[in-house]
Amino acid sequence: MAWSRPVGWLLDHLVYRTTVQGRANVPAAGPVIFAGNHISFLDGPVMFGAAPRPMHIFVKKEMFKGFLGLVLKASGQLTVDRSGDRAALERAKSVLDAGRCVGILPEGTRGNGEAAAINNGVAWLALNSGATVIPVAILGTRISGEHLNAVPRPGRRLHVSFGGALTVSRRPGETGRASMDRVGTEIRAALARHVQDTIQNTGQRLPDADSPQEPQTAVAATPADHHLRKVQ
């Protein structure tokens, strides 16, 4: 992944003007899940370039075609079937078990980025890996009036903010399903709160959800019951 880190930096600081805050909140070592809000197809690359540590990001399988697919594979990104992909969660857990970082946009599809709902795959991953979760607010990659597929003009001011670390675990006597639901709620609340705090700090507003949306699907689907038993 070493070659792709400078590419991410160039995207953030030469193509766009990206203000990055909260890097000190990211642990210098150990497994980390970066959970970002999702307003544009550019969110993943921008988060990748802004992070103080390299990460493997979930990318929908449809993107792994042609030259772009080769680039994504070579840079270590993780393919995921958004209609349901337990294998993607297992691959991501292997990455975290090795002490590396995974990036997820747990809202599952582009919208207004307020994190009103997320998929519980991120909760399963956090519980089963013991990784630290870092909420990431990404602003400016799409603004109100722009289509979901719009490409931000070069030179635009973007904002990426890494929030306070969140650690999760199962409570005594709590079932696997109850743990995952509770942790999913905690992660969603932390991300939504951090997005709003970043809006207040930067003055950059979220876009309206003013374009046709893709169906709400999972970045990584909720695991089946035999996966849930791992946290029971």
Side-chain angles (χ1 to χ4, degrees), residues 100-178:
R100 301 200 297 272
C101 304
V102 167
I104 305 179
L105 303 173
E107 290 173 283
T109 189
R110 289 163 289 170
N112 67 359
E114 63 183 8
I118 67 171
N119 181 265
N120 269 359
V122 64
W124 181 92
L125 196 55
L127 282 167
N128 281 278
S129 68
T132 298
V133 179
I134 299 292
V136 185
I138 305 164
L139 302 176
T141 52
R142 185 168 66 87
I143 60 177
S144 291
E146 291 183 336
H147 190 271
L148 287 170
N149 295 326
V151 178
R153 59 176 176 77
R156 177 180 291 179
R157 173 69 67 184
L158 309 180
H159 300 277
V160 180
S161 177
F162 298 96
L166 179 66
T167 56
V168 300
S169 63
R170 180 189 168 193
R171 293 173 178 170
E174 191 175 48
T175 66
R177 172 61 71 177

Side-chain angles (χ1 to χ4, degrees), residues 183-194:
V183 169
T185 298
E186 291 175 1
I187 294 173
R188 187 212 64 78
L191 177 57
R193 183 168 56 250
H194 184 58

Side-chain angles (χ1 to χ4, degrees), residues 165-230:
L166 179 66
T167 56
V168 300
S169 63
R170 180 189 168 193
R171 293 173 178 170
E174 191 175 48
T175 66
R177 172 61 71 177
S179 292
M180 196 169 70
D181 289 343
R182 173 182 56 80
V183 169
T185 298
E186 291 175 1
I187 294 173
R188 187 212 64 78
L191 177 57
R193 183 168 56 250
H194 184 58
V195 168
Q196 292 303 318
D197 288 345
T198 304
I199 291 170
Q200 292 296 319
N201 292 336
T202 65
Q204 173 68 60
R205 301 182 63 181
L206 291 170
D208 298 324
D210 52 3
S211 300
Q213 302 263 328
E214 302 173 28
Q216 181 67 36
T217 53
V219 171
T222 301
D225 288 343
H226 74 278
H227 282 75
L228 292 178
R229 284 196 289 271
K230 294 181 180 179

